[in-house]
Amino acid sequence: MTGSHTIVVGIDGSESANRAVVWAAQAAASRGWTLRIVIAVDPPHHLSDEDRIEFRAVAEARVAAAEILAAESVDQGQFDVVVEAADGKVVEVLMAESAGSESIVLGASGLGESDSGVIGSAAVALSAHGSSPVVVVRGRSIDGLPPTYGPVVVGIDGSAQGQSAVAAAFDEAAQRNSPLIAVHVWSDVSLAQVSGVPRDWESIAVSEEAVLAESLAGWQEKYPDVEVRRIVAQDRPVRVLSQLSEQASLIVVGNRGRGGFTGMLLGSTSYALIHTADCPVMVVR
């Protein structure tokens, strides 16, 4: 029996988008949510009326093929599938879709004839401005398939805004029956640049461990079955999270962070990860 929640996947006819469809279908089925497959129809202005009709026909064929792919990708679980070829530019279409969805799922790059990579641009725009979390489906195998096993990793910066990412990460870990790795990174460089800050790195490390503990407070009680591993590192956030992505099934980050003492500049970190991580990346506003 399906629920009222919806996961939206944006497609463009590329192999990258197909992988996103598979990932989104499996996520929807595991939760009993609706999967909405959307393609933007934005024909070039110079096309004739006849060519515009053909352009839309190609788009409609692509969402129909994606619907079949979604159904074939799921071994168990029930979910409804809705498809739409929506008029408009891809970023505008998906931005509107994000307002009513649980998440927007995209491939790591677009390879369709009509957009030549615009889904990649959409991922950046939606991560920064979309209403719902954005999942960029990335893989580490030769064929680019995303991993199906491994822990969920969440980057924590200690900000109030970052609690949304923590909540999403615990929910994903519980849904997958996977352990959760909570990562908090602080940087000597950013600390040294702040006037008057003593360079007592041992004391700073203790303080940063307290930041992580405070950020997790309450969540472990809410999700008692989720095994949590904590990492406090003195490094660049993107380097630590990228290394963990080599073993993870999903990385969860906020779309911007507190910065300052932690060096956890999630704006730049999330941007880097959606381009380079070895597993899917969820960016949470």
Side-chain angles (χ1 to χ4, degrees):
M1 186 172 179
T2 58
S4 59
H5 301 281
T6 300
I7 294 177
V8 174
V9 57
I11 72 162
D12 63 350
S14 67
E15 284 300 316
S16 180
N18 288 342
R19 289 190 284 271
V21 169
V22 172
W23 192 96
Q26 293 170 347
S30 68
R31 294 164 171 79
W33 291 357
T34 297
L35 175 65
R36 183 172 169 83
I37 303 172
V38 178
I39 190 168
V41 183
D42 183 29
H45 295 298
H46 67 269
L47 292 185
S48 65
D49 290 343
E50 183 177 349
D51 287 340
R52 286 174 179 272
I53 293 173
E54 177 63 23
F55 192 97
R56 168 166 281 280
V58 170
E60 291 175 347
R62 285 177 172 172
V63 289
E67 181 178 14
I68 295 172
L69 176 62
E72 293 176 343
S73 303
V74 176
D75 295 328
Q76 56 185 358
Q78 291 184 317
F79 67 113
D80 291 331
V81 181
V82 178
V83 300
E84 181 171 357
D87 292 315
K89 297 184 181 300
V90 63
V91 172
E92 295 172 355
V93 167
L94 293 178
M95 201 73 75
E97 291 286 339
S98 75
S101 66
E102 297 296 326
S103 62
I104 295 281
V105 181
L106 301 170
S109 61
L111 300 176
E113 303 89 357
S114 62
D115 53 25
S116 187
V118 75
I119 288 293
S121 300
V124 175
L126 287 161
S127 296
H129 305 294
S131 302
S132 62
V134 176
V135 179
V136 178
V137 178
R138 303 187 57 84
R140 50 177 169 260
S141 61
I142 294 176
D143 56 10
L145 293 175
T148 55
Y149 298 99
V152 173
V153 176
V154 58
I156 293 177
D157 71 339
S159 68
Q161 297 92 327
Q163 285 294 294
S164 295
V166 177
F170 267 96
D171 182 69
E172 288 290 335
Q175 182 67 36
R176 299 158 183 262
N177 294 316
S178 298
L180 176 68
I181 300 178
V183 183
H184 179 64
V185 181
W186 57 281
S187 169
D188 280 1
V189 175
S190 59
L191 285 168
Q193 291 173 346
V194 180
S195 175
V197 176
R199 299 189 181 187
D200 182 355
W201 305 126
E202 186 174 337
S203 297
I204 292 169
V206 172
S207 175
E208 298 304 321
E209 288 173 358
V211 170
L212 179 57
E214 183 179 352
S215 297
L216 296 175
W219 292 108
Q220 290 182 272
E221 289 76 16
K222 185 175 181 180
Y223 294 91
D225 295 332
V226 174
E227 174 191 345
V228 180
R229 174 187 169 197
R230 304 183 185 191
I231 294 178
V232 176
Q234 176 186 333
D235 203 339
R236 292 177 58 239
V238 68
R239 181 183 303 170
V240 175
L241 293 172
S242 292
Q243 290 174 344
L244 290 169
S245 77
E246 296 173 3
Q247 307 296 329
S249 62
L250 179 71
I251 284 187
V252 183
V253 291
N255 73 330
R256 58 176 59 89
R258 185 180 68 179
F261 286 86
T262 64
M264 192 68 169
L265 302 175
L266 287 180
S268 58
T269 298
S270 59
Y271 181 88
L273 289 170
I274 63 176
H275 287 88
T276 63
D278 286 329
C279 70
V281 178
M282 175 183 284
V283 182
V284 183
R285 285 177 58 80

